[in-house]
Amino acid sequence: MNHMPEPHRPPGIVQLPDGRHVYADQLPATYAGPQVVHQHIHQAAPDKTVQRIALGSGVGAGAVAAGVYFGPLLVAALTAMAANLAFLTLLALVLGWGVHTVVKAVGSPEAGAAVRNVRRARRRRG
């Protein structure tokens, strides 16, 4: 049996079907097709859900940009309005308490006598 020795090739060199020799790291990449990302809406971050729905329904980048810009703007505006209403409510309570205290302290003697007369009349009826 006559075995012919295999020609010596340095590691990393391959022979292409057309007979050329190339380094293995220079091979052309195989096309794997389009990369499809399958992610459910509930797995997305909360601030990205609207954008993913918009892009998934075929809406353009303008709608997504509007969602990115106006979403936080709307939240900020609603927060500012709620803070203003809370402050105005607190102010009304403090002013009402102040007016009540002043009126009670400054009440005239005639008003005090009238209150006592009303209380006595209620006791008699009661």
Side-chain angles (χ1 to χ4, degrees):
M1 268 209 196
N2 188 1
H3 289 290
M4 228 159 169
E6 184 78 21
H8 176 68
R9 288 190 195 129
I13 294 181
V14 294
Q15 186 175 7
L16 296 177
D18 63 0
R20 293 180 297 146
H21 290 84
V22 295
Y23 288 104
D25 61 348
Q26 295 177 352
L27 288 174
T30 57
Y31 179 69
Q35 297 294 321
V36 178
V37 176
H38 182 78
Q39 184 175 24
H40 294 279
I41 292 298
H42 65 272
Q43 294 172 334
D47 59 338
K48 301 290 183 201
T49 302
V50 173
Q51 289 86 335
R52 289 192 184 199
I53 291 172
L55 286 175
S57 64
V59 176
V64 175
V68 169
Y69 181 74
F70 288 114
L73 192 65
L74 178 64
V75 170
L78 291 175
T79 304
M81 286 191 290
N84 285 339
L85 286 175
F87 176 74
L88 290 175
T89 303
L90 180 67
L91 186 66
L93 286 172
V94 169
L95 289 176
W97 175 77
V99 168
H100 170 75
T101 304
V102 168
V103 168
K104 189 175 174 183
V106 178
S108 66
E110 295 86 20
V115 169
R116 284 190 293 278
N117 288 337
V118 170
R119 287 183 183 159
R120 283 184 196 145
R122 283 188 186 165
R123 281 189 211 140
R124 290 180 196 156
R125 280 191 249 157

